[in-house]
Amino acid sequence: MAEQPVAATAQETPGGESRPLSSVRQSSETWESLFRAQVGVMRRIRQDPVFRELPIGEYDVLFNLSRCPTGWTRLNELNHHLLISQPSLSRMVDRLEAKNLLVKRPARNDQRGVELALTEEGRALQRQIGSSHVHRIQDVLAPVLDPEEMDQLKALTDKINAFLDS
């Protein structure tokens, strides 16, 4: 006998329409598939020789700093974009500062806080590694997903991110 999915209820969309919710099982299986795909992709990307120069976690800090419109961001804001603890990020920031890849200053509006920005050396290294990194991502994804599928996947993950950010 086939296993019955857990009953799902309906949810109202922002447009006022009602749509069914996925079952607990379907949600769990979807999450597990997404997570396993992300782990597999990251394992392949970490093999890129460019990450011998700077570990991928430290590159992620430089990448996120490169996206700051003013060039500066608070340490705690940066931490919202990373999957590491605040103490681990603080230690990583100290290492990146010692390598002259970023600078710290007291926060302008709150002297207890810390703001960070890339140095010119940090910006140059981020661009150099970033160029190789995006090509490695293409090497991993392009053989598997066609352009339409990539658009679909991006739309779905953007939808998840928008919900989580709301």
PDB file of all heavy atoms in Angstrom, residues 41-68:
ATOM      1  N   VAL A  41      27.792  20.662  -5.127  1.00  0.00           N
ATOM      2  CA  VAL A  41      28.350  21.771  -5.908  1.00  0.00           C
ATOM      3  C   VAL A  41      29.516  22.405  -5.147  1.00  0.00           C
ATOM      4  O   VAL A  41      30.575  22.673  -5.722  1.00  0.00           O
ATOM      5  CB  VAL A  41      27.261  22.808  -6.251  1.00  0.00           C
ATOM      6  CG1 VAL A  41      27.870  24.093  -6.804  1.00  0.00           C
ATOM      7  CG2 VAL A  41      26.259  22.226  -7.242  1.00  0.00           C
ATOM      8  N   MET A  42      29.342  22.633  -3.850  1.00  0.00           N
ATOM      9  CA  MET A  42      30.412  23.254  -3.060  1.00  0.00           C
ATOM     10  C   MET A  42      31.659  22.371  -3.023  1.00  0.00           C
ATOM     11  O   MET A  42      32.779  22.886  -3.080  1.00  0.00           O
ATOM     12  CB  MET A  42      29.936  23.554  -1.640  1.00  0.00           C
ATOM     13  CG  MET A  42      28.980  24.725  -1.556  1.00  0.00           C
ATOM     14  SD  MET A  42      29.671  26.257  -2.227  1.00  0.00           S
ATOM     15  CE  MET A  42      31.025  26.548  -1.110  1.00  0.00           C
ATOM     16  N   ARG A  43      31.481  21.064  -2.940  1.00  0.00           N
ATOM     17  CA  ARG A  43      32.658  20.175  -2.955  1.00  0.00           C
ATOM     18  C   ARG A  43      33.440  20.327  -4.249  1.00  0.00           C
ATOM     19  O   ARG A  43      34.668  20.358  -4.239  1.00  0.00           O
ATOM     20  CB  ARG A  43      32.225  18.725  -2.758  1.00  0.00           C
ATOM     21  CG  ARG A  43      31.902  18.404  -1.334  1.00  0.00           C
ATOM     22  CD  ARG A  43      31.651  16.929  -1.142  1.00  0.00           C
ATOM     23  NE  ARG A  43      31.396  16.669   0.271  1.00  0.00           N
ATOM     24  CZ  ARG A  43      30.503  15.806   0.708  1.00  0.00           C
ATOM     25  NH1 ARG A  43      29.785  15.100  -0.140  1.00  0.00           N
ATOM     26  NH2 ARG A  43      30.337  15.634   1.997  1.00  0.00           N
ATOM     27  N   ARG A  44      32.731  20.429  -5.361  1.00  0.00           N
ATOM     28  CA  ARG A  44      33.407  20.607  -6.651  1.00  0.00           C
ATOM     29  C   ARG A  44      34.086  21.972  -6.719  1.00  0.00           C
ATOM     30  O   ARG A  44      35.208  22.091  -7.199  1.00  0.00           O
ATOM     31  CB  ARG A  44      32.409  20.484  -7.802  1.00  0.00           C
ATOM     32  CG  ARG A  44      31.802  19.129  -7.966  1.00  0.00           C
ATOM     33  CD  ARG A  44      32.685  18.257  -8.864  1.00  0.00           C
ATOM     34  NE  ARG A  44      32.147  16.927  -8.971  1.00  0.00           N
ATOM     35  CZ  ARG A  44      31.444  16.478 -10.000  1.00  0.00           C
ATOM     36  NH1 ARG A  44      31.187  17.265 -11.019  1.00  0.00           N
ATOM     37  NH2 ARG A  44      31.016  15.248 -10.003  1.00  0.00           N
ATOM     38  N   ILE A  45      33.403  22.992  -6.260  1.00  0.00           N
ATOM     39  CA  ILE A  45      33.948  24.352  -6.339  1.00  0.00           C
ATOM     40  C   ILE A  45      35.185  24.489  -5.451  1.00  0.00           C
ATOM     41  O   ILE A  45      36.160  25.134  -5.836  1.00  0.00           O
ATOM     42  CB  ILE A  45      32.864  25.385  -5.985  1.00  0.00           C
ATOM     43  CG1 ILE A  45      31.833  25.445  -7.122  1.00  0.00           C
ATOM     44  CG2 ILE A  45      33.462  26.753  -5.714  1.00  0.00           C
ATOM     45  CD1 ILE A  45      30.607  26.250  -6.820  1.00  0.00           C
ATOM     46  N   ARG A  46      35.157  23.868  -4.279  1.00  0.00           N
ATOM     47  CA  ARG A  46      36.304  23.950  -3.362  1.00  0.00           C
ATOM     48  C   ARG A  46      37.569  23.343  -3.966  1.00  0.00           C
ATOM     49  O   ARG A  46      38.673  23.623  -3.513  1.00  0.00           O
ATOM     50  CB  ARG A  46      35.996  23.242  -2.048  1.00  0.00           C
ATOM     51  CG  ARG A  46      35.066  24.007  -1.160  1.00  0.00           C
ATOM     52  CD  ARG A  46      34.748  23.179   0.088  1.00  0.00           C
ATOM     53  NE  ARG A  46      33.664  23.743   0.834  1.00  0.00           N
ATOM     54  CZ  ARG A  46      33.807  24.550   1.872  1.00  0.00           C
ATOM     55  NH1 ARG A  46      35.008  24.857   2.291  1.00  0.00           N
ATOM     56  NH2 ARG A  46      32.764  25.037   2.499  1.00  0.00           N
ATOM     57  N   GLN A  47      37.424  22.492  -4.983  1.00  0.00           N
ATOM     58  CA  GLN A  47      38.577  21.874  -5.638  1.00  0.00           C
ATOM     59  C   GLN A  47      39.321  22.847  -6.547  1.00  0.00           C
ATOM     60  O   GLN A  47      40.429  22.545  -6.984  1.00  0.00           O
ATOM     61  CB  GLN A  47      38.133  20.653  -6.450  1.00  0.00           C
ATOM     62  CG  GLN A  47      37.610  19.516  -5.602  1.00  0.00           C
ATOM     63  CD  GLN A  47      37.015  18.401  -6.451  1.00  0.00           C
ATOM     64  OE1 GLN A  47      36.974  18.477  -7.678  1.00  0.00           O
ATOM     65  NE2 GLN A  47      36.559  17.353  -5.786  1.00  0.00           N
ATOM     66  N   ASP A  48      38.725  23.995  -6.820  1.00  0.00           N
ATOM     67  CA  ASP A  48      39.363  24.982  -7.690  1.00  0.00           C
ATOM     68  C   ASP A  48      40.688  25.403  -7.066  1.00  0.00           C
ATOM     69  O   ASP A  48      40.736  25.802  -5.904  1.00  0.00           O
ATOM     70  CB  ASP A  48      38.446  26.192  -7.864  1.00  0.00           C
ATOM     71  CG  ASP A  48      38.902  27.115  -8.985  1.00  0.00           C
ATOM     72  OD1 ASP A  48      40.121  27.276  -9.182  1.00  0.00           O
ATOM     73  OD2 ASP A  48      38.028  27.683  -9.647  1.00  0.00           O
ATOM     74  N   PRO A  49      41.793  25.311  -7.816  1.00  0.00           N
ATOM     75  CA  PRO A  49      43.109  25.681  -7.279  1.00  0.00           C
ATOM     76  C   PRO A  49      43.176  27.114  -6.738  1.00  0.00           C
ATOM     77  O   PRO A  49      44.008  27.408  -5.888  1.00  0.00           O
ATOM     78  CB  PRO A  49      44.055  25.513  -8.476  1.00  0.00           C
ATOM     79  CG  PRO A  49      43.354  24.589  -9.406  1.00  0.00           C
ATOM     80  CD  PRO A  49      41.881  24.811  -9.190  1.00  0.00           C
ATOM     81  N   VAL A  50      42.295  27.992  -7.199  1.00  0.00           N
ATOM     82  CA  VAL A  50      42.323  29.377  -6.737  1.00  0.00           C
ATOM     83  C   VAL A  50      42.081  29.461  -5.223  1.00  0.00           C
ATOM     84  O   VAL A  50      42.539  30.391  -4.572  1.00  0.00           O
ATOM     85  CB  VAL A  50      41.323  30.245  -7.541  1.00  0.00           C
ATOM     86  CG1 VAL A  50      39.889  29.976  -7.130  1.00  0.00           C
ATOM     87  CG2 VAL A  50      41.647  31.709  -7.424  1.00  0.00           C
ATOM     88  N   PHE A  51      41.393  28.471  -4.655  1.00  0.00           N
ATOM     89  CA  PHE A  51      41.118  28.499  -3.222  1.00  0.00           C
ATOM     90  C   PHE A  51      42.284  27.977  -2.376  1.00  0.00           C
ATOM     91  O   PHE A  51      42.185  27.893  -1.163  1.00  0.00           O
ATOM     92  CB  PHE A  51      39.801  27.789  -2.892  1.00  0.00           C
ATOM     93  CG  PHE A  51      38.615  28.559  -3.416  1.00  0.00           C
ATOM     94  CD1 PHE A  51      37.797  28.023  -4.380  1.00  0.00           C
ATOM     95  CD2 PHE A  51      38.361  29.839  -2.964  1.00  0.00           C
ATOM     96  CE1 PHE A  51      36.721  28.747  -4.880  1.00  0.00           C
ATOM     97  CE2 PHE A  51      37.294  30.572  -3.456  1.00  0.00           C
ATOM     98  CZ  PHE A  51      36.466  30.021  -4.422  1.00  0.00           C
ATOM     99  N   ARG A  52      43.406  27.665  -3.024  1.00  0.00           N
ATOM    100  CA  ARG A  52      44.631  27.382  -2.274  1.00  0.00           C
ATOM    101  C   ARG A  52      45.242  28.694  -1.788  1.00  0.00           C
ATOM    102  O   ARG A  52      45.904  28.739  -0.768  1.00  0.00           O
ATOM    103  CB  ARG A  52      45.624  26.627  -3.142  1.00  0.00           C
ATOM    104  CG  ARG A  52      45.191  25.216  -3.429  1.00  0.00           C
ATOM    105  CD  ARG A  52      46.270  24.433  -4.164  1.00  0.00           C
ATOM    106  NE  ARG A  52      45.685  23.222  -4.696  1.00  0.00           N
ATOM    107  CZ  ARG A  52      45.752  22.844  -5.950  1.00  0.00           C
ATOM    108  NH1 ARG A  52      46.433  23.559  -6.830  1.00  0.00           N
ATOM    109  NH2 ARG A  52      45.184  21.730  -6.353  1.00  0.00           N
ATOM    110  N   GLU A  53      45.023  29.758  -2.562  1.00  0.00           N
ATOM    111  CA  GLU A  53      45.549  31.081  -2.206  1.00  0.00           C
ATOM    112  C   GLU A  53      44.776  31.706  -1.049  1.00  0.00           C
ATOM    113  O   GLU A  53      45.347  32.341  -0.183  1.00  0.00           O
ATOM    114  CB  GLU A  53      45.482  31.997  -3.428  1.00  0.00           C
ATOM    115  CG  GLU A  53      46.068  33.366  -3.183  1.00  0.00           C
ATOM    116  CD  GLU A  53      46.098  34.208  -4.452  1.00  0.00           C
ATOM    117  OE1 GLU A  53      45.783  33.708  -5.537  1.00  0.00           O
ATOM    118  OE2 GLU A  53      46.459  35.389  -4.329  1.00  0.00           O
ATOM    119  N   LEU A  54      43.470  31.532  -1.072  1.00  0.00           N
ATOM    120  CA  LEU A  54      42.602  32.085  -0.033  1.00  0.00           C
ATOM    121  C   LEU A  54      41.459  31.105   0.160  1.00  0.00           C
ATOM    122  O   LEU A  54      40.752  30.791  -0.803  1.00  0.00           O
ATOM    123  CB  LEU A  54      42.054  33.458  -0.466  1.00  0.00           C
ATOM    124  CG  LEU A  54      41.285  34.234   0.584  1.00  0.00           C
ATOM    125  CD1 LEU A  54      42.252  34.822   1.629  1.00  0.00           C
ATOM    126  CD2 LEU A  54      40.496  35.371  -0.072  1.00  0.00           C
ATOM    127  N   PRO A  55      41.251  30.604   1.378  1.00  0.00           N
ATOM    128  CA  PRO A  55      40.162  29.644   1.595  1.00  0.00           C
ATOM    129  C   PRO A  55      38.809  30.242   1.173  1.00  0.00           C
ATOM    130  O   PRO A  55      38.590  31.454   1.266  1.00  0.00           O
ATOM    131  CB  PRO A  55      40.197  29.406   3.107  1.00  0.00           C
ATOM    132  CG  PRO A  55      41.584  29.768   3.526  1.00  0.00           C
ATOM    133  CD  PRO A  55      42.013  30.869   2.598  1.00  0.00           C
ATOM    134  N   ILE A  56      37.914  29.363   0.748  1.00  0.00           N
ATOM    135  CA  ILE A  56      36.626  29.805   0.223  1.00  0.00           C
ATOM    136  C   ILE A  56      35.828  30.606   1.259  1.00  0.00           C
ATOM    137  O   ILE A  56      35.124  31.548   0.904  1.00  0.00           O
ATOM    138  CB  ILE A  56      35.812  28.621  -0.346  1.00  0.00           C
ATOM    139  CG1 ILE A  56      34.677  29.136  -1.238  1.00  0.00           C
ATOM    140  CG2 ILE A  56      35.323  27.714   0.753  1.00  0.00           C
ATOM    141  CD1 ILE A  56      34.031  28.060  -2.099  1.00  0.00           C
ATOM    142  N   GLY A  57      35.940  30.279   2.530  1.00  0.00           N
ATOM    143  CA  GLY A  57      35.239  31.030   3.571  1.00  0.00           C
ATOM    144  C   GLY A  57      35.731  32.468   3.659  1.00  0.00           C
ATOM    145  O   GLY A  57      34.943  33.403   3.828  1.00  0.00           O
ATOM    146  N   GLU A  58      37.036  32.656   3.535  1.00  0.00           N
ATOM    147  CA  GLU A  58      37.593  34.006   3.554  1.00  0.00           C
ATOM    148  C   GLU A  58      37.230  34.745   2.268  1.00  0.00           C
ATOM    149  O   GLU A  58      36.938  35.942   2.296  1.00  0.00           O
ATOM    150  CB  GLU A  58      39.113  33.957   3.746  1.00  0.00           C
ATOM    151  CG  GLU A  58      39.506  33.479   5.133  1.00  0.00           C
ATOM    152  CD  GLU A  58      41.000  33.468   5.377  1.00  0.00           C
ATOM    153  OE1 GLU A  58      41.783  33.939   4.515  1.00  0.00           O
ATOM    154  OE2 GLU A  58      41.405  32.973   6.450  1.00  0.00           O
ATOM    155  N   TYR A  59      37.219  34.025   1.141  1.00  0.00           N
ATOM    156  CA  TYR A  59      36.773  34.648  -0.104  1.00  0.00           C
ATOM    157  C   TYR A  59      35.332  35.128   0.033  1.00  0.00           C
ATOM    158  O   TYR A  59      34.977  36.207  -0.445  1.00  0.00           O
ATOM    159  CB  TYR A  59      36.887  33.681  -1.296  1.00  0.00           C
ATOM    160  CG  TYR A  59      36.169  34.233  -2.495  1.00  0.00           C
ATOM    161  CD1 TYR A  59      36.742  35.249  -3.252  1.00  0.00           C
ATOM    162  CD2 TYR A  59      34.889  33.793  -2.833  1.00  0.00           C
ATOM    163  CE1 TYR A  59      36.057  35.805  -4.326  1.00  0.00           C
ATOM    164  CE2 TYR A  59      34.208  34.343  -3.902  1.00  0.00           C
ATOM    165  CZ  TYR A  59      34.791  35.353  -4.634  1.00  0.00           C
ATOM    166  OH  TYR A  59      34.106  35.916  -5.683  1.00  0.00           O
ATOM    167  N   ASP A  60      34.489  34.341   0.690  1.00  0.00           N
ATOM    168  CA  ASP A  60      33.079  34.706   0.871  1.00  0.00           C
ATOM    169  C   ASP A  60      32.950  36.035   1.608  1.00  0.00           C
ATOM    170  O   ASP A  60      32.091  36.859   1.286  1.00  0.00           O
ATOM    171  CB  ASP A  60      32.339  33.593   1.614  1.00  0.00           C
ATOM    172  CG  ASP A  60      30.831  33.676   1.474  1.00  0.00           C
ATOM    173  OD1 ASP A  60      30.334  34.312   0.514  1.00  0.00           O
ATOM    174  OD2 ASP A  60      30.140  33.092   2.324  1.00  0.00           O
ATOM    175  N   VAL A  61      33.809  36.272   2.584  1.00  0.00           N
ATOM    176  CA  VAL A  61      33.809  37.554   3.288  1.00  0.00           C
ATOM    177  C   VAL A  61      34.166  38.676   2.314  1.00  0.00           C
ATOM    178  O   VAL A  61      33.481  39.705   2.256  1.00  0.00           O
ATOM    179  CB  VAL A  61      34.771  37.536   4.496  1.00  0.00           C
ATOM    180  CG1 VAL A  61      34.948  38.938   5.082  1.00  0.00           C
ATOM    181  CG2 VAL A  61      34.260  36.576   5.569  1.00  0.00           C
ATOM    182  N   LEU A  62      35.223  38.479   1.531  1.00  0.00           N
ATOM    183  CA  LEU A  62      35.619  39.506   0.556  1.00  0.00           C
ATOM    184  C   LEU A  62      34.507  39.742  -0.457  1.00  0.00           C
ATOM    185  O   LEU A  62      34.207  40.887  -0.814  1.00  0.00           O
ATOM    186  CB  LEU A  62      36.906  39.105  -0.170  1.00  0.00           C
ATOM    187  CG  LEU A  62      38.162  38.895   0.672  1.00  0.00           C
ATOM    188  CD1 LEU A  62      39.363  38.635  -0.233  1.00  0.00           C
ATOM    189  CD2 LEU A  62      38.421  40.053   1.607  1.00  0.00           C
ATOM    190  N   PHE A  63      33.883  38.669  -0.936  1.00  0.00           N
ATOM    191  CA  PHE A  63      32.793  38.798  -1.905  1.00  0.00           C
ATOM    192  C   PHE A  63      31.648  39.627  -1.327  1.00  0.00           C
ATOM    193  O   PHE A  63      31.148  40.550  -1.975  1.00  0.00           O
ATOM    194  CB  PHE A  63      32.285  37.421  -2.332  1.00  0.00           C
ATOM    195  CG  PHE A  63      31.031  37.486  -3.149  1.00  0.00           C
ATOM    196  CD1 PHE A  63      31.075  37.886  -4.475  1.00  0.00           C
ATOM    197  CD2 PHE A  63      29.809  37.166  -2.591  1.00  0.00           C
ATOM    198  CE1 PHE A  63      29.907  37.966  -5.239  1.00  0.00           C
ATOM    199  CE2 PHE A  63      28.644  37.244  -3.336  1.00  0.00           C
ATOM    200  CZ  PHE A  63      28.695  37.646  -4.660  1.00  0.00           C
ATOM    201  N   ASN A  64      31.235  39.306  -0.107  1.00  0.00           N
ATOM    202  CA  ASN A  64      30.121  40.043   0.499  1.00  0.00           C
ATOM    203  C   ASN A  64      30.488  41.502   0.739  1.00  0.00           C
ATOM    204  O   ASN A  64      29.648  42.388   0.570  1.00  0.00           O
ATOM    205  CB  ASN A  64      29.647  39.351   1.783  1.00  0.00           C
ATOM    206  CG  ASN A  64      28.718  38.208   1.480  1.00  0.00           C
ATOM    207  OD1 ASN A  64      27.550  38.408   1.194  1.00  0.00           O
ATOM    208  ND2 ASN A  64      29.243  36.993   1.501  1.00  0.00           N
ATOM    209  N   LEU A  65      31.717  41.772   1.124  1.00  0.00           N
ATOM    210  CA  LEU A  65      32.146  43.165   1.284  1.00  0.00           C
ATOM    211  C   LEU A  65      32.160  43.896  -0.055  1.00  0.00           C
ATOM    212  O   LEU A  65      31.865  45.090  -0.115  1.00  0.00           O
ATOM    213  CB  LEU A  65      33.525  43.234   1.939  1.00  0.00           C
ATOM    214  CG  LEU A  65      33.568  42.905   3.423  1.00  0.00           C
ATOM    215  CD1 LEU A  65      35.018  42.850   3.909  1.00  0.00           C
ATOM    216  CD2 LEU A  65      32.769  43.918   4.236  1.00  0.00           C
ATOM    217  N   SER A  66      32.470  43.195  -1.138  1.00  0.00           N
ATOM    218  CA  SER A  66      32.509  43.834  -2.456  1.00  0.00           C
ATOM    219  C   SER A  66      31.125  44.269  -2.920  1.00  0.00           C
ATOM    220  O   SER A  66      31.000  45.111  -3.806  1.00  0.00           O
ATOM    221  CB  SER A  66      33.133  42.892  -3.496  1.00  0.00           C
ATOM    222  OG  SER A  66      32.222  41.871  -3.874  1.00  0.00           O
ATOM    223  N   ARG A  67      30.084  43.724  -2.314  1.00  0.00           N
ATOM    224  CA  ARG A  67      28.712  44.039  -2.705  1.00  0.00           C
ATOM    225  C   ARG A  67      28.098  45.180  -1.903  1.00  0.00           C
ATOM    226  O   ARG A  67      26.959  45.552  -2.139  1.00  0.00           O
ATOM    227  CB  ARG A  67      27.846  42.792  -2.563  1.00  0.00           C
ATOM    228  CG  ARG A  67      28.364  41.647  -3.445  1.00  0.00           C
ATOM    229  CD  ARG A  67      27.529  40.436  -3.359  1.00  0.00           C
ATOM    230  NE  ARG A  67      26.279  40.733  -4.060  1.00  0.00           N
ATOM    231  CZ  ARG A  67      25.193  40.003  -3.969  1.00  0.00           C
ATOM    232  NH1 ARG A  67      25.181  38.941  -3.211  1.00  0.00           N
ATOM    233  NH2 ARG A  67      24.105  40.327  -4.634  1.00  0.00           N
ATOM    234  N   CYS A  68      28.849  45.758  -0.964  1.00  0.00           N
ATOM    235  CA  CYS A  68      28.329  46.845  -0.129  1.00  0.00           C
ATOM    236  C   CYS A  68      28.298  48.142  -0.934  1.00  0.00           C
ATOM    237  O   CYS A  68      29.346  48.584  -1.411  1.00  0.00           O
ATOM    238  CB  CYS A  68      29.189  47.023   1.122  1.00  0.00           C
ATOM    239  SG  CYS A  68      29.223  45.573   2.164  1.00  0.00           S
TER     240      CYS A  68
END
